[in-house]
Amino acid sequence: MTGTPTVVIHRDQEVLAKAVAARLVTRIVDVQSARGSASIVLTGGGVGTAVLSELAANRAHDAIDWRRLDIWWGDERFLETGDPERNETGARKALLDHVDVDPARVHPMGAIDGPDGDDPEAAAERYTAALRAAARPEDHAPVPSFDILMLGVGPDAHVASLFPEMPALYDERPAVAVRGAPKPPPTRISLTFPSIRAAREVWILAAGDSKARACRLGLEGAGPVQVPVAAARGRQRTLFLLDRAAASQLPHGIERIASP
Ligand SMILES: O=C(O)[C@H](O)[C@@H](O)[C@H](O)[C@H](O)COP(=O)(O)O
């Protein structure tokens, strides 16, 4: 795992979302120019979806070769396909329906009306199989080395659908079913920490006062069972991309202020 995360603070949620969208363009273009293709992991939640909307609105997204981009999800709500509460639905509406992605390279997590019916464990196993199929020998893992893995964070410091003190925190499988999630809806599918930590870069996205404590604890090295975001680290780099409100409890001197 990498060393100390880098903290970048933006004035407010709107500037944060625009800046993360611009950062995505630059990082994806750099990776595609170096290796031909790139892979990203999307997150649900307000900030994660706002980033996708800003990316759709920013014509710089034309610099990305969308046909050579693998798109995965960090977690998903186990609902019917097209349900507005599903992260996939939000991502398609905000961005994916507006760019020329290769459908074969877009990997949504299962839905309750999918091939596994109302069995989230089977749907998680299917996602695990897709991850394994995409992994290459040089990844040295059962999942691909995602170039950028984005995660929102909850006020309770959850990331993806890895909630404090829940069994999924201890699971070594690439993707798992989560039942009884404290954030509705209760049944979800989530990547686990081993999958998150296989990513080259992990970007933690947070805005608002309600995330300030989670961000502080996540950066102070708290235990991952109580503070899951504390274990969300990339192999090469970890970024905490925050607005001022989410950064309001951080000790002075560790941040880089990006927006005046
Ligand atoms: O499916 C989900 O609910 C998300 O993946 C979840 O992990 C989200 O990213 C955080 O709860 C932050 O959500 P907000 O940005 O909306 O606060």
Side-chain angles (χ1 to χ4, degrees), residues 66-86:
W66 292 96
R67 306 294 293 183
R68 293 186 300 154
L69 182 66
D70 283 305
I71 297 168
W72 303 87
W73 273 264
D75 73 330
E76 186 57 275
R77 292 91 177 277
F78 196 58
L79 301 165
E80 288 203 358
T81 305
D83 187 303
E85 287 300 303
R86 271 179 62 90

mmCIF file of all heavy atoms in Angstrom, residues 66-86:
data_model
loop_
_atom_site.group_PDB
_atom_site.id
_atom_site.type_symbol
_atom_site.label_atom_id
_atom_site.label_comp_id
_atom_site.label_asym_id
_atom_site.label_seq_id
_atom_site.Cartn_x
_atom_site.Cartn_y
_atom_site.Cartn_z
ATOM 1 N N TRP A 66 -13.416 6.637 -25.192
ATOM 2 C CA TRP A 66 -14.403 5.940 -24.374
ATOM 3 C C TRP A 66 -14.517 4.476 -24.747
ATOM 4 O O TRP A 66 -14.974 3.663 -23.936
ATOM 5 C CB TRP A 66 -15.754 6.646 -24.502
ATOM 6 C CG TRP A 66 -15.724 8.012 -23.867
ATOM 7 C CD1 TRP A 66 -15.506 9.212 -24.484
ATOM 8 C CD2 TRP A 66 -15.876 8.291 -22.474
ATOM 9 N NE1 TRP A 66 -15.506 10.223 -23.561
ATOM 10 C CE2 TRP A 66 -15.735 9.694 -22.322
ATOM 11 C CE3 TRP A 66 -16.111 7.504 -21.338
ATOM 12 C CZ2 TRP A 66 -15.821 10.312 -21.077
ATOM 13 C CZ3 TRP A 66 -16.211 8.126 -20.094
ATOM 14 C CH2 TRP A 66 -16.067 9.519 -19.970
ATOM 15 N N ARG A 67 -14.103 4.132 -25.997
ATOM 16 C CA ARG A 67 -14.169 2.737 -26.424
ATOM 17 C C ARG A 67 -13.094 1.893 -25.755
ATOM 18 O O ARG A 67 -13.138 0.675 -25.785
ATOM 19 C CB ARG A 67 -14.028 2.613 -27.956
ATOM 20 C CG ARG A 67 -14.986 3.449 -28.767
ATOM 21 C CD ARG A 67 -16.420 3.024 -28.598
ATOM 22 N NE ARG A 67 -16.702 1.696 -29.160
ATOM 23 C CZ ARG A 67 -17.924 1.166 -29.159
ATOM 24 N NH1 ARG A 67 -18.943 1.816 -28.615
ATOM 25 N NH2 ARG A 67 -18.134 -0.028 -29.670
ATOM 26 N N ARG A 68 -12.101 2.564 -25.168
ATOM 27 C CA ARG A 68 -10.992 1.816 -24.539
ATOM 28 C C ARG A 68 -10.954 2.106 -23.036
ATOM 29 O O ARG A 68 -9.897 2.295 -22.432
ATOM 30 C CB ARG A 68 -9.657 2.181 -25.198
ATOM 31 C CG ARG A 68 -9.555 1.704 -26.651
ATOM 32 C CD ARG A 68 -8.179 1.953 -27.216
ATOM 33 N NE ARG A 68 -7.869 3.386 -27.190
ATOM 34 C CZ ARG A 68 -6.625 3.874 -27.139
ATOM 35 N NH1 ARG A 68 -5.591 3.034 -27.076
ATOM 36 N NH2 ARG A 68 -6.402 5.172 -27.118
ATOM 37 N N LEU A 69 -12.158 2.149 -22.456
ATOM 38 C CA LEU A 69 -12.270 2.409 -21.020
ATOM 39 C C LEU A 69 -13.145 1.334 -20.391
ATOM 40 O O LEU A 69 -14.300 1.145 -20.808
ATOM 41 C CB LEU A 69 -12.889 3.787 -20.781
ATOM 42 C CG LEU A 69 -13.021 4.226 -19.330
ATOM 43 C CD1 LEU A 69 -11.635 4.414 -18.689
ATOM 44 C CD2 LEU A 69 -13.834 5.518 -19.227
ATOM 45 N N ASP A 70 -12.602 0.623 -19.428
ATOM 46 C CA ASP A 70 -13.388 -0.360 -18.662
ATOM 47 C C ASP A 70 -13.996 0.338 -17.457
ATOM 48 O O ASP A 70 -13.289 1.039 -16.725
ATOM 49 C CB ASP A 70 -12.491 -1.519 -18.194
ATOM 50 C CG ASP A 70 -12.184 -2.485 -19.322
ATOM 51 O OD1 ASP A 70 -13.150 -2.991 -19.940
ATOM 52 O OD2 ASP A 70 -10.997 -2.702 -19.612
ATOM 53 N N ILE A 71 -15.296 0.149 -17.284
ATOM 54 C CA ILE A 71 -16.021 0.855 -16.229
ATOM 55 C C ILE A 71 -16.659 -0.164 -15.283
ATOM 56 O O ILE A 71 -17.449 -1.016 -15.707
ATOM 57 C CB ILE A 71 -17.103 1.767 -16.843
ATOM 58 C CG1 ILE A 71 -16.446 2.844 -17.724
ATOM 59 C CG2 ILE A 71 -17.958 2.423 -15.747
ATOM 60 C CD1 ILE A 71 -17.413 3.611 -18.612
ATOM 61 N N TRP A 72 -16.274 -0.103 -14.025
ATOM 62 C CA TRP A 72 -16.768 -1.000 -12.973
ATOM 63 C C TRP A 72 -17.468 -0.151 -11.916
ATOM 64 O O TRP A 72 -17.403 1.074 -11.957
ATOM 65 C CB TRP A 72 -15.588 -1.763 -12.345
ATOM 66 C CG TRP A 72 -14.755 -2.555 -13.308
ATOM 67 C CD1 TRP A 72 -13.678 -2.097 -14.039
ATOM 68 C CD2 TRP A 72 -14.893 -3.938 -13.649
ATOM 69 N NE1 TRP A 72 -13.172 -3.120 -14.823
ATOM 70 C CE2 TRP A 72 -13.883 -4.253 -14.600
ATOM 71 C CE3 TRP A 72 -15.784 -4.955 -13.247
ATOM 72 C CZ2 TRP A 72 -13.739 -5.538 -15.138
ATOM 73 C CZ3 TRP A 72 -15.647 -6.227 -13.775
ATOM 74 C CH2 TRP A 72 -14.631 -6.505 -14.713
ATOM 75 N N TRP A 73 -18.116 -0.838 -10.950
ATOM 76 C CA TRP A 73 -18.733 -0.144 -9.835
ATOM 77 C C TRP A 73 -18.148 -0.629 -8.526
ATOM 78 O O TRP A 73 -17.823 -1.813 -8.383
ATOM 79 C CB TRP A 73 -20.261 -0.335 -9.839
ATOM 80 C CG TRP A 73 -20.983 0.687 -10.680
ATOM 81 C CD1 TRP A 73 -21.563 1.851 -10.260
ATOM 82 C CD2 TRP A 73 -21.192 0.644 -12.106
ATOM 83 N NE1 TRP A 73 -22.115 2.539 -11.340
ATOM 84 C CE2 TRP A 73 -21.897 1.819 -12.457
ATOM 85 C CE3 TRP A 73 -20.841 -0.266 -13.115
ATOM 86 C CZ2 TRP A 73 -22.272 2.092 -13.777
ATOM 87 C CZ3 TRP A 73 -21.208 0.011 -14.426
ATOM 88 C CH2 TRP A 73 -21.918 1.180 -14.746
ATOM 89 N N GLY A 74 -18.045 0.284 -7.553
ATOM 90 C CA GLY A 74 -17.563 -0.105 -6.232
ATOM 91 C C GLY A 74 -18.653 -0.755 -5.411
ATOM 92 O O GLY A 74 -18.400 -1.590 -4.548
ATOM 93 N N ASP A 75 -19.890 -0.352 -5.657
ATOM 94 C CA ASP A 75 -21.018 -1.001 -4.979
ATOM 95 C C ASP A 75 -22.300 -0.693 -5.742
ATOM 96 O O ASP A 75 -22.313 0.129 -6.657
ATOM 97 C CB ASP A 75 -21.127 -0.571 -3.512
ATOM 98 C CG ASP A 75 -21.640 0.852 -3.343
ATOM 99 O OD1 ASP A 75 -21.404 1.696 -4.232
ATOM 100 O OD2 ASP A 75 -22.265 1.120 -2.315
ATOM 101 N N GLU A 76 -23.345 -1.406 -5.348
ATOM 102 C CA GLU A 76 -24.620 -1.243 -6.041
ATOM 103 C C GLU A 76 -25.755 -1.615 -5.107
ATOM 104 O O GLU A 76 -25.605 -2.468 -4.237
ATOM 105 C CB GLU A 76 -24.650 -2.113 -7.302
ATOM 106 C CG GLU A 76 -25.881 -1.913 -8.174
ATOM 107 C CD GLU A 76 -26.057 -0.463 -8.602
ATOM 108 O OE1 GLU A 76 -26.646 0.335 -7.842
ATOM 109 O OE2 GLU A 76 -25.588 -0.127 -9.712
ATOM 110 N N ARG A 77 -26.826 -0.945 -5.323
ATOM 111 C CA ARG A 77 -28.029 -1.284 -4.554
ATOM 112 C C ARG A 77 -28.738 -2.410 -5.297
ATOM 113 O O ARG A 77 -28.947 -2.328 -6.508
ATOM 114 C CB ARG A 77 -28.928 -0.066 -4.457
ATOM 115 C CG ARG A 77 -28.349 1.073 -3.592
ATOM 116 C CD ARG A 77 -27.524 2.048 -4.423
ATOM 117 N NE ARG A 77 -27.023 3.170 -3.644
ATOM 118 C CZ ARG A 77 -27.719 4.268 -3.364
ATOM 119 N NH1 ARG A 77 -28.965 4.396 -3.762
ATOM 120 N NH2 ARG A 77 -27.191 5.260 -2.663
ATOM 121 N N PHE A 78 -29.112 -3.492 -4.578
ATOM 122 C CA PHE A 78 -29.664 -4.690 -5.222
ATOM 123 C C PHE A 78 -31.162 -4.474 -5.461
ATOM 124 O O PHE A 78 -32.014 -4.926 -4.689
ATOM 125 C CB PHE A 78 -29.394 -5.922 -4.351
ATOM 126 C CG PHE A 78 -29.583 -7.222 -5.093
ATOM 127 C CD1 PHE A 78 -28.859 -7.514 -6.245
ATOM 128 C CD2 PHE A 78 -30.488 -8.177 -4.635
ATOM 129 C CE1 PHE A 78 -29.030 -8.723 -6.919
ATOM 130 C CE2 PHE A 78 -30.679 -9.387 -5.303
ATOM 131 C CZ PHE A 78 -29.943 -9.657 -6.451
ATOM 132 N N LEU A 79 -31.425 -3.745 -6.547
ATOM 133 C CA LEU A 79 -32.801 -3.376 -6.907
ATOM 134 C C LEU A 79 -33.029 -3.769 -8.368
ATOM 135 O O LEU A 79 -32.131 -4.315 -9.014
ATOM 136 C CB LEU A 79 -32.988 -1.869 -6.719
ATOM 137 C CG LEU A 79 -32.738 -1.340 -5.296
ATOM 138 C CD1 LEU A 79 -32.601 0.180 -5.320
ATOM 139 C CD2 LEU A 79 -33.845 -1.784 -4.357
ATOM 140 N N GLU A 80 -34.208 -3.421 -8.904
ATOM 141 C CA GLU A 80 -34.484 -3.757 -10.302
ATOM 142 C C GLU A 80 -33.658 -2.887 -11.245
ATOM 143 O O GLU A 80 -33.377 -1.715 -10.944
ATOM 144 C CB GLU A 80 -35.977 -3.566 -10.585
ATOM 145 C CG GLU A 80 -36.859 -4.620 -9.945
ATOM 146 C CD GLU A 80 -38.207 -4.747 -10.670
ATOM 147 O OE1 GLU A 80 -38.447 -3.994 -11.636
ATOM 148 O OE2 GLU A 80 -39.002 -5.616 -10.267
ATOM 149 N N THR A 81 -33.296 -3.461 -12.368
ATOM 150 C CA THR A 81 -32.613 -2.704 -13.417
ATOM 151 C C THR A 81 -33.415 -1.439 -13.727
ATOM 152 O O THR A 81 -34.638 -1.500 -13.856
ATOM 153 C CB THR A 81 -32.494 -3.567 -14.693
ATOM 154 O OG1 THR A 81 -31.842 -4.783 -14.358
ATOM 155 C CG2 THR A 81 -31.730 -2.819 -15.779
ATOM 156 N N GLY A 82 -32.703 -0.303 -13.783
ATOM 157 C CA GLY A 82 -33.386 0.948 -14.103
ATOM 158 C C GLY A 82 -33.971 1.664 -12.908
ATOM 159 O O GLY A 82 -34.396 2.822 -13.009
ATOM 160 N N ASP A 83 -33.955 1.009 -11.736
ATOM 161 C CA ASP A 83 -34.450 1.685 -10.533
ATOM 162 C C ASP A 83 -33.628 2.951 -10.306
ATOM 163 O O ASP A 83 -32.392 2.896 -10.344
ATOM 164 C CB ASP A 83 -34.341 0.753 -9.324
ATOM 165 C CG ASP A 83 -35.009 1.356 -8.088
ATOM 166 O OD1 ASP A 83 -34.625 2.471 -7.681
ATOM 167 O OD2 ASP A 83 -35.925 0.700 -7.546
ATOM 168 N N PRO A 84 -34.281 4.106 -10.096
ATOM 169 C CA PRO A 84 -33.525 5.356 -9.931
ATOM 170 C C PRO A 84 -32.585 5.327 -8.728
ATOM 171 O O PRO A 84 -31.668 6.131 -8.636
ATOM 172 C CB PRO A 84 -34.620 6.416 -9.747
ATOM 173 C CG PRO A 84 -35.888 5.690 -9.505
ATOM 174 C CD PRO A 84 -35.740 4.326 -10.081
ATOM 175 N N GLU A 85 -32.803 4.398 -7.804
ATOM 176 C CA GLU A 85 -31.924 4.295 -6.646
ATOM 177 C C GLU A 85 -30.642 3.511 -6.940
ATOM 178 O O GLU A 85 -29.728 3.476 -6.108
ATOM 179 C CB GLU A 85 -32.660 3.619 -5.478
ATOM 180 C CG GLU A 85 -33.703 4.523 -4.814
ATOM 181 C CD GLU A 85 -33.061 5.777 -4.247
ATOM 182 O OE1 GLU A 85 -32.138 5.670 -3.408
ATOM 183 O OE2 GLU A 85 -33.463 6.879 -4.674
ATOM 184 N N ARG A 86 -30.581 2.857 -8.104
ATOM 185 C CA ARG A 86 -29.361 2.104 -8.418
ATOM 186 C C ARG A 86 -28.243 3.033 -8.872
ATOM 187 O O ARG A 86 -28.454 4.005 -9.606
ATOM 188 C CB ARG A 86 -29.639 1.070 -9.527
ATOM 189 C CG ARG A 86 -30.104 -0.284 -8.987
ATOM 190 C CD ARG A 86 -30.403 -1.277 -10.094
ATOM 191 N NE ARG A 86 -29.254 -1.594 -10.916
ATOM 192 C CZ ARG A 86 -28.404 -2.599 -10.660
ATOM 193 N NH1 ARG A 86 -28.547 -3.308 -9.550
ATOM 194 N NH2 ARG A 86 -27.413 -2.865 -11.487
#
